[in-house]
Amino acid sequence: MEWFSEWFADISNTFYRCFIRDDRYMLLLNGIGVTIKVSLLAVALGILIGLLIALCNLSHRRLLRGIGKVYTDVIRGTPSVTQLMIIYFVIFATVQWEKWIIAAIAFGINSGAYVSEIIRAGILSIDKGQTEAGRSLGLNGRQTMLSIVIPQAVKNVLPALGNEFIVLLKETSVAGYIGIADLTKGAQTIGSVTYDYIVPLLCAAYIYFLMTTTLATGLN
């Protein structure tokens, strides 16, 4: 059993160096908080932007449809990391906002393109008779959409929106490119200090797994 004792001592020393010494576990705990903050704000912005773009794509006006198409094509056709860096280093270069807020805006803009297609599909899934019924009751197009169609569509799109939130939570792991101390960045910092990247990165991966699994269970 000597080999087991040596192996256990090795694991214990690694765990101590990575998480206990100098309170390095706080890098992960603080990173979890940042990741959750960015994700929540991003998903709220994504839903708002997605709803507006979905309405543009469903509009009878060519200009609005063109704006919606250009937005979804550009955002879905470029990497989220590139968008994040453009928004931080170019668009918000002179704005003195906290980094996590700018990151949340970038991820929200990215998510909005995907959410818009989810909402558009949900709206199209509602029978046209619902719209005709609203109009026959004297409601105009906007009132019919907001009071009759969208409330029914929400039920249909909730599962897909939940999946988008899970994907968004994982996508925020690239926020370290602009110097945000999120969960992944915290694991990288621990690795750079201890010269042991395997343990902190595996720990970060496990935390992401726990968060996404918990979220998926709650959505189900």
Side-chain angles (χ1 to χ4, degrees):
M1 298 294 290
E2 185 178 344
W3 65 269
F4 180 78
S5 300
E6 293 177 357
W7 174 81
F8 185 77
D10 243 4
I11 293 294
S12 299
N13 290 333
T14 301
F15 185 85
Y16 177 80
R17 283 188 299 105
C18 290
F19 305 118
I20 306 302
R21 182 183 294 174
D22 298 327
D23 294 333
R24 288 172 187 150
Y25 69 92
M26 291 301 299
L27 292 170
L28 297 182
L29 289 181
N30 293 334
I32 292 172
V34 173
T35 295
I36 293 175
K37 284 195 304 184
V38 172
S39 300
L40 289 176
L41 181 55
V43 76
L45 291 174
I47 291 174
L48 177 61
I49 295 172
L51 176 59
L52 294 176
I53 297 300
L55 294 177
C56 285
N57 288 331
L58 293 170
S59 175
H60 297 296
R61 300 181 181 180
R62 294 182 61 183
L63 176 60
L64 292 179
R65 289 203 310 273
I67 292 173
K69 179 172 174 52
V70 169
Y71 177 86
T72 53
D73 287 349
V74 170
I75 297 300
R76 295 172 68 184
T78 54
S80 59
V81 177
T82 306
Q83 296 166 17
L84 173 65
M85 297 178 75
I86 290 174
I87 289 174
Y88 180 76
F89 291 111
V90 180
I91 298 177
F92 285 90
T94 59
V95 179
Q96 299 300 316
W97 288 1
E98 292 189 45
K99 292 181 179 180
W100 74 269
I101 296 178
I102 298 176
I105 292 173
F107 290 119
I109 291 173
N110 177 269
S111 179
Y114 298 92
V115 171
S116 69
E117 291 301 291
I118 294 172
I119 295 177
R120 185 174 71 89
I123 292 175
L124 291 176
S125 70
I126 304 302
D127 190 272
K128 290 183 178 180
Q130 298 292 311
T131 301
E132 295 170 358
R135 300 306 295 271
S136 68
L137 290 172
L139 302 177
N140 58 34
R142 183 180 62 84
Q143 292 171 326
T144 301
M145 179 65 69
L146 294 177
S147 302
I148 296 178
V149 178
I150 289 181
Q152 295 182 73
V154 167
K155 182 182 66 175
N156 295 340
V157 305
L158 274 180
L161 283 179
N163 289 334
E164 173 61 22
F165 185 30
I166 292 173
V167 171
L168 186 60
L169 180 66
K170 293 184 292 184
E171 278 191 351
T172 60
S173 61
V174 301
Y177 277 91
I178 61 172
I180 293 179
D182 67 327
L183 178 56
T184 301
K185 185 67 174 179
Q188 289 178 325
T189 302
I190 293 173
S192 66
V193 172
T194 61
Y195 301 102
D196 186 347
Y197 285 91
I198 296 177
V199 173
L201 288 176
L202 284 178
C203 183
Y206 182 65
I207 293 172
Y208 276 114
F209 174 76
L210 285 180
M211 289 194 294
T212 55
T213 302
T214 302
L215 183 59
T217 302
L219 289 170
N220 287 335

